């Protein structure tokens, strides 16, 4: 489906979009394509959010590792609109497992069958689990089942302890105990989506120039469409004025809008809008987030042929090794190898307060333990990204406790990645959220129609947005 101004019906109003990540930028673009006037307010000096780029040493590449899948149709359509789809490169990647102090390749069925840490029966059950999960359609049912129970039942206790538990811990820490089976289902479903569309294997794609180029083109597209983009403009408060409009308080001025849509993480959003009802605040604050400390390491040599190395051994300070240069042409990286060392943590983890030097020392010591031939002289640059709110934990019964998109404050909407209920956090799902929101603009209520202040939070249902495929 293409998006253009002709599809437009609603009367033109002045919107503020809070947050210029992929979600805020796509909302801004789609709203202007529907004839709305849009001001996009971003706290940081540049747009892009989690998908922005930065400089590490003499290389500019993504602050967090990003790939596009062939099946990411919404993302690819946006890239087409930005005239970037032709600059995409598609690569078949390899996956490694670091288990029992050894790096194993797990990139095809034969390697999987040879994988020493598991017995043949374990492998059959593990393969069966993935095969079954990729075919499950009723994700709602899985939301009621703890992920540990589901995987143990399907794969057996040994495989759960040896394979699944380290993988769950690497993404969720100890919060895996409260996470539903829908989490692992969504992860498997995403990896298998390309096969459902007829492709035999999954390829990973990137735009030549990385997200720096995507953001440059996206920014230019927004400006061309008439969006007013204001960076270094953190929204401090949103309030309804006496004439029914909305004031957004910035550091040294207040701006007035007809409607405001926030893409901020729900706990931040709840603080920004004091006029939300106690019930709404309870829902927004009830979403539990996970954050990340993610190091980018520029090296003079490659570590392995694997894009992802999953770590099932304990005692490593990071939870995986992502070798971007096994996917991206090294010419894009000035001939260097680029490796990411992520560690997913809760928003209040002590790691956020540690100094860069401490983290660098700990992470590089861990990396040298894994790759004993790596010398510190091979490290050209090291840079750390810290983000406290990255994704909402898919806890048991998550979609029933989802905060409303349409709030009780007239004209104030809350939309963010916490509203991805049956998928994983990724750019494609994020763009779909924005597309669906704006596609439903004609029928968008001005305020929450159920009485958000009298119902128990558990009875408040999110407003269903129009879904386009
Ligand atoms: C380590 C990592 C790897 C990933 N890998 C992939 C991948 O391979 N493929 C993929 O498709 N996706 C990937 N993703 C997910 C992808 O980055 C996200 O889906 C997407 O960027 C989310 O965009 P967003 O706009 O919803 O949120 P964000 O990017 O978080 O945007 C929110 C914006 O709001 C701004 N903001 C915060 N407070 C305020 C305020 N008060 N006022 C104004 N602005 C404010 C922030 O600065 C930010 O720019 C990855 C994410 C991470 C962290």
């Amino acid at each position: 489906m293409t998006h253009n101004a002709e599809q437009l019906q609603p009367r033109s109003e002045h919107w503020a979009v809070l947050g210029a990540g992929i979600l805020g930028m796509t909302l801004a673009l789609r709203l202007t394509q529907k004839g709305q006037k849009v001001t996009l307010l971003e706290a940081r000096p540049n747009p892009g959010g989690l998908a922005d780029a930065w400089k590490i040493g003499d290389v500019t590449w993504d602050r967090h590792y990003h790939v596009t899948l062939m099946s990411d149709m919404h993302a690819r359509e946006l890239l087409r609109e930005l005239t970037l789809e032709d600059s995409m490169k598609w690569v078949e990647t390899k996956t490694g497992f670091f288990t029992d102090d050894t790096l194993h390749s797990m990139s095809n069925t034969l390697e999987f069958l040879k994988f020493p840490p598991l017995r043949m029966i374990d492998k059959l059950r593990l393969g069966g689990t993935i095969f079954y999960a990729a075919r499950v359609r009723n994700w709602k049912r899985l939301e009621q089942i703890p992920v540990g129970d589901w995987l143990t039942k399907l794969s057996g206790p040994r495989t759960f302890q040896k394979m699944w538990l380290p993988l769950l811990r690497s993404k969720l820490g100890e919060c895996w105990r409260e996470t539903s089976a829908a989490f692992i289902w969504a992860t498997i479903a995403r990896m298998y989506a390309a096969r459902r569309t007829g492709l035999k294997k999954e390829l990973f794609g990137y735009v030549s120039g990385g997200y720096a180029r995507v953001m440059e083109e996206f920014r230019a597209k927004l400006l061309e469409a008439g969006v007013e983009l204001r960076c270094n403009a953190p929204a401090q408060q949103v309030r309804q004025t006496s004439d029914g409009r909305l004031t957004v308080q910035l550091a040294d001025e207040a701006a007035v809008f007809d409607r405001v849509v926030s893409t901020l993480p729900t706990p931040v959003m709840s603080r920004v809008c004091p006029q939300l009802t106690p019930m709404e605040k309870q829902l927004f604050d009830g979403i539990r987030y996970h954050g990340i400390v993610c190091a980018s390491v520029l090296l003079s040599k490659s570590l392995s042929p694997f894009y992802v190395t999953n770590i099932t051994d304990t005692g490593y300070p990071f939870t995986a090794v992502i070798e971007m240069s096994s996917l991206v042409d090294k010419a894009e990286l000035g001939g260097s190898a680029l490796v990411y060392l992520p560690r997913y943590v809760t928003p209040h983890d002590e790691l956020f307060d540690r100094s860069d030097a401490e983290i660098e020392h700990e992470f590089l010591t861990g990396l040298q333990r894994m790759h004993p031939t790596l010398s510190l002289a091979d490290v050209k640059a090291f840079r750390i990204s810290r983000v406290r709110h990255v994704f909402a934990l898919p806890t048991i019964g998550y979609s029933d406790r989802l905060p409303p998109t349409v709030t009780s404050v007239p004209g104030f909407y809350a939309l963010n990645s916490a509203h991805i209920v049956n998928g994983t956090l990724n750019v494609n799902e994020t763009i779909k959220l924005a597309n669906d929101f704006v596609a439903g603009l004609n029928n968008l209520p001005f305020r929450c129609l159920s009485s958000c202040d009298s119902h128990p939070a558990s009875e408040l249902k999110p407003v269903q947005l129009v879904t386009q495929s």
Side-chain angles (χ1 to χ4, degrees):
M1 176 179 174
T2 53
H3 300 265
N4 54 44
E6 282 77 37
Q7 294 167 330
L8 183 190
Q9 316 308 321
R11 81 185 166 91
S12 182
E13 293 178 306
H14 191 179
W15 287 70
V17 176
L18 310 186
I22 291 281
L23 181 56
M25 293 172 86
T26 312
L27 279 169
L29 180 64
R30 299 290 177 242
L31 283 167
T32 50
Q33 286 168 336
K34 287 251 182 186
Q36 306 298 302
K37 183 177 172 198
V38 179
T39 299
L40 179 55
L41 297 168
E42 168 57 41
R44 288 165 52 100
N46 54 288
L50 294 172
D52 69 356
W54 68 0
K55 224 170 154 65
I56 164 153
D58 52 3
V59 168
T60 300
W61 201 256
D62 309 352
R63 180 160 59 109
H64 304 109
Y65 46 94
H66 276 79
V67 291
T68 303
L69 305 190
M70 279 267 174
S71 48
D72 286 347
M73 294 309 180
H74 303 283
R76 289 178 63 191
E77 187 200 318
L78 181 67
L79 290 173
R80 206 169 304 132
E81 286 176 71
L82 302 179
T83 59
L84 288 174
E85 234 228 339
D86 291 346
S87 309
M88 288 203 77
K89 304 204 170 146
W90 295 98
V91 181
E92 194 180 344
T93 59
K94 292 182 177 223
T95 302
F97 266 77
F98 192 76
T99 302
D100 299 334
D101 287 326
T102 310
L103 194 53
H104 303 272
S105 183
M106 269 264 258
S107 308
N108 55 47
T109 314
L110 194 63
E111 287 173 351
F112 174 66
L113 291 172
K114 283 188 193 159
F115 189 54
L118 295 180
R119 299 170 305 184
M120 189 47 81
I121 179 73
D122 301 330
K123 287 172 195 164
L124 290 175
R125 290 189 73 172
L126 180 59
T129 304
I130 294 169
F131 184 81
Y132 171 71
R135 280 150 189 82
V136 169
R137 293 286 166 270
N138 186 359
W139 59 272
K140 257 315 241 176
R141 191 182 66 80
L142 297 185
E143 262 200 337
Q144 304 304 326
I145 306 171
V147 66
D149 294 0
W150 194 64
L151 289 172
T152 305
K153 189 172 156 212
L154 289 172
S155 294
R158 198 185 129 83
T159 306
F160 178 73
Q161 289 294 333
K162 192 85 191 154
M163 293 291 289
W164 287 118
L165 186 53
L167 295 178
L168 289 174
R169 279 210 170 102
S170 78
K171 194 79 195 257
L172 306 164
E174 286 313 302
C175 299
W176 70 268
R177 294 174 197 281
E178 296 138 77
T179 302
S180 81
F183 169 78
I184 208 79
W185 168 81
T187 307
I188 293 171
R190 175 161 166 78
M191 297 320 295
Y192 270 74
R195 292 166 197 237
R196 280 207 302 277
T197 60
L199 287 169
K200 291 250 166 17
K201 55 182 75 145
E202 187 54 277
L203 299 175
F204 284 176
Y206 67 95
V207 172
S208 175
Y211 265 87
R213 183 153 170 231
V214 174
M215 286 306 152
E216 196 184 299
E217 295 298 331
F218 207 163
R219 188 185 191 132
K221 180 94 181 167
L222 290 176
L223 297 184
E224 183 194 295
V227 172
E228 183 197 13
L229 170 63
R230 294 182 60 182
C231 294
N232 295 307
Q236 296 180 345
Q237 199 176 74
V238 178
R239 277 193 166 274
Q240 194 188 9
T241 59
S242 51
D243 67 353
R245 297 179 82 206
L246 290 159
T247 298
V248 179
Q249 183 63 49
L250 302 170
D252 43 20
E253 64 168 305
V256 180
F257 301 93
D258 299 310
R259 301 202 194 202
V260 174
V261 53
S262 163
T263 70
L264 314 185
T266 49
V268 181
M269 230 260 332
S270 151
R271 281 200 300 276
V272 163
C273 189
Q275 289 170 328
L276 294 169
T277 65
M279 284 307 169
E280 286 171 315
K281 276 186 179 297
Q282 192 185 320
L283 284 169
F284 286 120
D285 294 338
I287 300 290
R288 298 199 22 226
Y289 271 81
H290 231 44
I292 196 168
V293 173
C294 185
S296 298
V297 196
L298 200 66
L299 297 169
S300 54
K301 65 174 193 185
S302 302
L303 294 177
S304 79
F306 307 121
Y307 173 65
V308 178
T309 299
N310 296 299
I311 304 171
T312 59
D313 285 358
T314 52
Y316 284 88
F318 39 83
T319 53
V321 178
I322 316 295
E323 191 152 349
M324 190 48 80
S325 38
S326 74
L327 169 79
V328 171
D329 189 340
K330 275 196 179 170
E332 302 250 14
L333 306 168
S336 301
L338 176 61
V339 168
Y340 293 86
L341 305 175
R343 171 135 150 223
Y344 288 91
V345 282
T346 60
H348 302 295
D349 195 279
E350 55 87 29
L351 196 59
F352 283 110
D353 304 320
R354 301 250 290 276
S355 70
D356 282 7
E358 280 177 287
I359 295 175
E360 178 170 343
H361 174 72
E362 197 191 344
F363 277 35
L364 288 180
T365 307
L367 197 58
Q368 283 184 297
R369 229 176 88 208
M370 240 174 130
H371 295 279
T373 60
L374 176 73
S375 132
L376 288 186
D378 299 321
V379 180
K380 293 167 111 180
F382 191 99
R383 205 170 166 192
I384 302 162
S385 165
R386 298 171 176 82
V387 188
R388 288 184 195 264
H389 297 107
V390 171
F391 68 94
L393 283 171
T395 44
I396 304 291
Y398 180 82
S399 65
D400 295 329
R401 284 176 285 104
L402 205 62
T405 307
V406 180
T407 74
S408 61
V409 179
F412 182 63
Y413 306 97
L415 185 71
N416 65 27
S417 56
H419 290 100
I420 300 172
V421 283
N422 56 349
T424 58
L425 177 80
N426 60 66
V427 167
N428 191 58
E429 292 283 353
T430 302
I431 291 169
K432 183 175 185 302
L433 277 184
N435 289 350
D436 288 354
F437 182 86
V438 179
L441 201 59
N442 288 346
N443 304 316
L444 191 65
F446 197 49
R447 57 158 290 170
C448 174
L449 298 176
S450 62
S451 56
C452 300
D453 39 7
S454 60
H455 284 253
S458 58
E459 287 179 16
L460 272 180
K461 289 275 177 269
V463 171
Q464 227 27 68
L465 296 172
V466 177
T467 301
Q468 63 181 37
S469 55

